[in-house]
Amino acid sequence: MTTITNSPETLRAAMVDTIKAAGHATSPAVEQAMRTVARHDFVPEATVEDAYSDIAVITKRAGDGSALSCASVPTVVAMMLDQLQVQPGNRILEIGAGTGYNAALLAQLTGPGGSVTTVDIDPEVTAGARRGLDATGNQHVEVITRDGSLGASENAPYDRIIFTVGAWDLTPAFWEQLAPGGRLVVPLRWRAQTQSVAFVRDCDALVSDSMELCGFVPMIGQEGERSGAIDGSGLVTLYWDVDQTIDAAKLGGVLDQERETVWSDVLVGPEEPFDGIWLRMTGRDSRICRVSADRAAVDTDLCKPAIPIRSPALAEENSLAYLAIRKVEQGRFELGAIGHGTHGGNLAAQLCDEIEAWNHDRNARPTVRAYPASTLRPAISFDGDLNHEVIEKVEARLVVSVA
């Protein structure tokens, strides 16, 4: 019996067709690079079918099973390359070497007149990336084993910098090493959600011009996010940033208090995203955080967030409200909020106000400006009279502005 399988070339073509159908690889150069570079050569342990499926291929795990390194989901790779807008001859820095596949794509995009440097803290990862790059004719890509937060000053300045690992903070290296007018694309985490943000350097400010929801393996050593259980069994956890005044201890047992539910009359379809509510709120409310509920918490009706593992919440002293959803008709769902505690009802109503504001322009995105933490406040732009929140990180300061 003969088994017929698709060739790598056929599977790669189908992968790119899937990426295009999802609205990515909009640049002809990005599309051509993804049709040219053989992803299966960088993940030899995976089947060729998995190599060209729209999935992350995990290449290294921690002892607890969590991913330490991977080849990212191809649609996300294409999305971020679109954001990066590489031009022929660009000097490019990549933070997070992974398998070397993304560096090979970058080399294809910048061409023989440019250069690519990729950095990773893990010597096993850089050794694997080096092998993959050498085996595919990309010996000219420089691979450095180093803490990615330091960048690679020896090849600076860079026209383009891209992170293929999640960052909570931005260190001074990226202002020092990015050329004026250069672009930086980074999966940046603030208020417990992660967006792939494309920044353009404008003097000492990095100013966003696009952002897309994403998720990435986090950088090692950036510990600015806090978390704490808010129920006795540890089934429901709150996540917030170090600059917020949230105290999980004050919220202990809040879910056992009477709940107040408020519905917004805003409807979504089963495939319609509503992450823009959370993103918008990061520029309007300093109390925004994330709630995560285990299956047991949902099944026992202790806590039922719209998306159990990650939903926006508002926390104030001993009160909490979080985003909720209910089915109201075939294929339609209503968004709302569930509140607990002394001010739970008010918080739920305020969350619904934000849902309704988002509903007026679902495609609107805030502007994010990033500055070194040492920047004096008078030098920071607050976008006139727009609503804004200043988010203090350890090495950077974000200003999130919302119309």
Side-chain angles (χ1 to χ4, degrees):
M1 179 178 174
T2 302
T3 301
I4 300 174
T5 58
N6 287 322
S7 69
E9 293 75 19
T10 301
L11 291 169
R12 185 159 64 252
M15 177 191 78
V16 179
D17 290 344
T18 297
I19 290 168
K20 294 285 290 181
H24 305 303
T26 56
S27 155
V30 171
E31 178 182 353
Q32 185 58 41
M34 299 200 77
R35 291 194 186 279
T36 302
V37 178
R39 189 175 189 245
H40 71 282
D41 287 339
F42 293 90
V43 287
E45 298 84 3
T47 66
V48 69
E49 289 79 13
D50 281 350
Y52 291 110
S53 295
D54 198 36
I55 59 173
V57 177
I58 308 301
T59 55
K60 184 173 182 179
R61 293 186 182 273
D64 63 2
S66 60
L68 291 176
S69 187
C70 70
S72 299
V73 177
T75 50
V76 175
V77 171
M79 175 191 82
M80 293 179 69
L81 291 177
D82 281 339
Q83 290 181 295
L84 194 61
Q85 298 179 17
V86 174
Q87 301 299 312
N90 279 167
R91 299 172 65 85
I92 305 173
L93 172 63
E94 177 188 44
I95 306 300
T99 63
Y101 172 64
N102 202 66
L105 291 168
L106 293 168
Q108 183 80 17
L109 289 166
T110 192
S115 67
V116 177
T117 303
T118 185
V119 177
D120 201 288
I121 197 171
D122 189 330
E124 288 186 29
V125 171
T126 52
R130 181 75 275 165
R131 286 193 299 271
L133 289 163
D134 288 347
T136 54
N138 289 286
Q139 293 88 348
H140 56 292
V141 173
E142 185 168 356
V143 181
I144 299 174
T145 304
R146 180 182 298 159
D147 182 346
S149 67
L150 301 175
S153 60
E154 55 266 54
N155 295 327
Y158 299 99
D159 305 294
R160 301 289 187 267
I161 299 177
I162 184 169
F163 283 61
T164 55
V165 63
W168 182 85
D169 204 354
L170 294 173
T171 62
F174 301 105
W175 279 270
E176 295 163 2
Q177 296 175 26
L178 182 64
R183 296 182 69 82
L184 181 151
V185 174
V186 54
L188 187 60
R189 191 166 180 82
W190 73 95
R191 299 306 186 241
Q193 50 90 59
T194 304
Q195 299 280 334
S196 176
V197 184
F199 288 108
V200 178
R201 182 171 179 182
D202 180 9
C203 297
D204 284 337
L206 299 173
V207 184
S208 69
D209 71 0
S210 74
M211 58 189 73
E212 300 283 350
L213 182 70
C214 66
F216 270 81
V217 175
M219 286 185 75
I220 295 171
Q222 295 193 340
E223 308 296 338
E225 189 170 270
R226 301 289 182 261
S227 64
I230 57 173
D231 70 303
S233 300
L235 299 176
V236 182
T237 304
L238 216 59
Y239 296 83
W240 67 96
D241 285 330
V242 67
D243 68 319
Q244 294 179 282
T245 58
I246 295 168
D247 185 348
K250 291 182 179 179
L251 290 162
V254 68
L255 298 172
D256 295 324
Q257 298 182 40
E258 184 176 352
R259 72 178 58 186
E260 186 166 343
T261 304
V262 182
W263 296 106
S264 68
D265 295 326
V266 174
L267 303 182
V268 294
E271 302 299 325
E272 286 185 85
F274 46 86
D275 58 280
I277 300 166
W278 193 345
L279 176 58
R280 176 185 170 83
M281 289 179 69
T282 68
R284 291 174 57 87
D285 201 314
S286 63
R287 303 166 298 176
I288 188 73
C289 55
R290 167 191 163 204
V291 66
S292 177
D294 287 0
R295 173 53 55 188
V298 175
D299 291 345
T300 59
D301 204 36
L302 175 66
C303 184
K304 302 187 73 169
I307 301 174
I309 63 169
R310 54 169 189 86
S311 285
L314 289 175
E316 180 182 340
E317 294 294 330
N318 63 352
S319 302
L320 178 76
Y322 57 83
L323 187 69
I325 193 168
R326 65 176 176 178
K327 189 172 184 178
V328 292
E329 56 188 66
Q330 188 64 34
R332 303 293 286 171
F333 299 82
E334 184 179 11
L335 298 173
I338 296 173
H340 296 266
T342 308
H343 306 293
N346 288 336
L347 292 177
Q350 291 168 37
L351 213 164
C352 280
D353 288 342
E354 295 295 343
I355 294 170
E356 291 163 8
W358 163 79
N359 189 48
H360 291 310
D361 185 357
R362 296 189 179 191
N363 294 319
R365 292 290 182 268
T367 298
V368 179
R369 286 178 169 80
Y371 300 85
S374 59
T375 305
L376 297 176
R377 286 297 184 105
I380 292 176
S381 171
F382 292 105
D383 264 357
D385 295 327
L386 292 183
N387 296 296
H388 67 267
E389 283 290 323
V390 178
I391 297 172
E392 301 287 356
K393 295 183 174 287
V394 176
E395 310 232 38
R397 177 180 292 130
L398 303 184
V399 179
V400 184
S401 303
V402 182

